């Protein structure tokens, strides 16, 4: 069956460093993949979308890579700030208008 | 634009009761979705709709029903509530199959 795994439930990073989050998927080949941010008690907010023919996508301090051979996406936040602390969800497209969400990685940036 | 709105914000139900979670969007999006999120877990798709009059099951549809009579509204109906339906429910909408999804603030439901 299709499976999505995000690395570790929680990640603690020192302010100013680069945070790297991993999303691995198995048993299917998504045409694209999205990343969302979720703050406690709030709905997810869209950050980036990357397609299977794109190796890398950037938006300000965010960078996403998509390796269809490894079946993996990496999400980087450079020059991290305490305000970046949140849970980050990856969502590969499953087909038939559906995204499938990973369980999320809770990121904490320590001052 | 209000975006995606959900009511109520919180609700406590007794086992066997029924209720409707309301969801509305003012962005003229064709695609709408209902998810549930259990503590520490990702979002599970309950039902989705690609336009008025068209709905389809997601990963966890049992115990729920939906309707889509207008583009704006996508209510989720719980019949015979069970403790396993205790969760946070999110509604989302999108302008296209591949597009970003806009989420509502969520409804926190407890079934006792």
């Amino acid at each position: 069956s299709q499976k999505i795994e995000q690395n570790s439930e929680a990640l603690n990073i020192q302010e100013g460093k680069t945070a790297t989050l991993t999303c691995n998927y198995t048993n299917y080949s998504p045409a694209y993949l999205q990343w969302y941010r979720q703050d406690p008690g709030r709905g997810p907010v869209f950050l980036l979308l990357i397609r299977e023919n794109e190796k890398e996508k950037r938006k300000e301090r965010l960078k996403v890579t998509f390796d269809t051979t490894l079946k993996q996406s990496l999400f980087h936040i450079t020059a991290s700030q305490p305000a970046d602390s949140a849970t980050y969800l990856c969502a590969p497209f499953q087909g038939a208008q559906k995204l499938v969400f990973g369980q999320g990685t809770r990121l904490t940036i320590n001052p | 634009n209000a975006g995606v709105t959900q009511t109520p914000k919180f609700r406590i139900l007794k086992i066997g009761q029924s209720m409707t979670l309301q969801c509305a969007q003012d962005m003229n999006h064709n695609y709408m979705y209902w998810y549930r999120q259990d503590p520490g877990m990702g979002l599970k798709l309950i039902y989705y709709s690609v336009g008025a009059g068209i709905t389809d099951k997601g990963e966890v549809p049992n115990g729920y029903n939906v309707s889509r009579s207008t583009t704006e509204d996508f209510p989720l109906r719980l019949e015979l509530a069970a403790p396993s339906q205790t969760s946070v429910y999110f509604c989302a909408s999108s302008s296209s199959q591949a597009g970003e999804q806009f989420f509502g603030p969520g409804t926190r439901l407890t079934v006792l």
Side-chain angles (χ1 to χ4, degrees):
Chain A
S1 62
Q2 297 166 349
K3 194 175 176 185
I4 299 157
E5 283 187 356
Q6 293 190 240
N7 69 319
S8 70
E9 286 189 9
L11 193 62
N12 287 276
I13 299 290
Q14 202 64 31
E15 182 177 5
K17 302 288 188 187
T18 296
T20 298
L21 284 63
T22 304
C23 176
N24 295 296
Y25 55 92
T26 53
N27 297 327
Y28 72 120
S29 299
Y32 64 89
L33 185 148
Q34 298 184 9
W35 282 89
Y36 287 79
R37 169 183 172 140
Q38 186 174 24
D39 291 290
R42 313 285 291 267
V45 174
F46 172 82
L47 295 173
L48 282 165
L49 179 154
I50 186 165
R51 301 184 187 281
E52 61 182 341
N53 61 350
E54 296 174 315
K55 289 274 193 274
E56 181 180 299
K57 200 84 169 277
R58 290 177 185 262
K59 180 183 174 183
E60 297 172 352
R61 293 184 295 110
L62 308 181
K63 184 178 86 171
V64 172
T65 62
F66 193 9
D67 189 326
T68 54
T69 302
L70 291 178
K71 292 187 179 292
Q72 181 181 79
S73 175
L74 298 179
F75 177 83
H76 307 273
I77 305 176
T78 58
S80 59
Q81 304 166 0
D84 295 326
S85 298
T87 295
Y88 291 85
L89 305 167
C90 76
F93 180 63
Q94 186 186 27
Q97 296 86 37
K98 289 183 282 190
L99 294 176
V100 180
F101 284 83
Q103 84 278 14
T105 296
R106 189 172 67 251
L107 176 67
T108 302
I109 308 298
N110 301 305
Chain B
N1 273 356
V4 179
T5 57
Q6 292 183 239
T7 55
K9 284 189 169 55
F10 305 93
R11 183 73 185 267
I12 298 175
L13 281 182
K14 293 183 179 177
I15 294 171
Q17 287 186 320
S18 300
M19 76 166 293
T20 298
L21 281 66
Q22 301 291 345
C23 173
Q25 52 93 8
D26 62 359
M27 296 173 282
N28 201 33
H29 286 169
N30 282 326
Y31 296 79
M32 294 189 75
Y33 309 84
W34 273 107
Y35 296 92
R36 60 176 287 172
Q37 186 175 38
D38 299 323
M41 304 293 285
L43 298 157
K44 301 286 187 189
L45 182 64
I46 304 171
Y47 270 96
Y48 66 100
S49 169
V50 302
I54 306 169
T55 62
D56 209 344
K57 294 178 182 178
E59 185 182 356
V60 290
N62 291 344
Y64 307 94
N65 274 302
V66 293
S67 59
R68 184 96 183 269
S69 56
T70 66
T71 299
E72 294 78 21
D73 300 298
F74 190 38
L76 177 72
R77 177 85 178 159
L78 277 73
E79 305 280 3
L80 297 175
S84 60
Q85 293 178 304
T86 294
S87 190
V88 180
Y89 291 83
F90 289 102
C91 178
S93 73
S94 175
S95 61
S96 66
Q97 169 180 296
E100 66 177 283
Q101 293 189 13
F102 293 83
F103 283 80
T107 294
R108 186 175 297 275
L109 176 69
T110 302
V111 182
L112 300 173

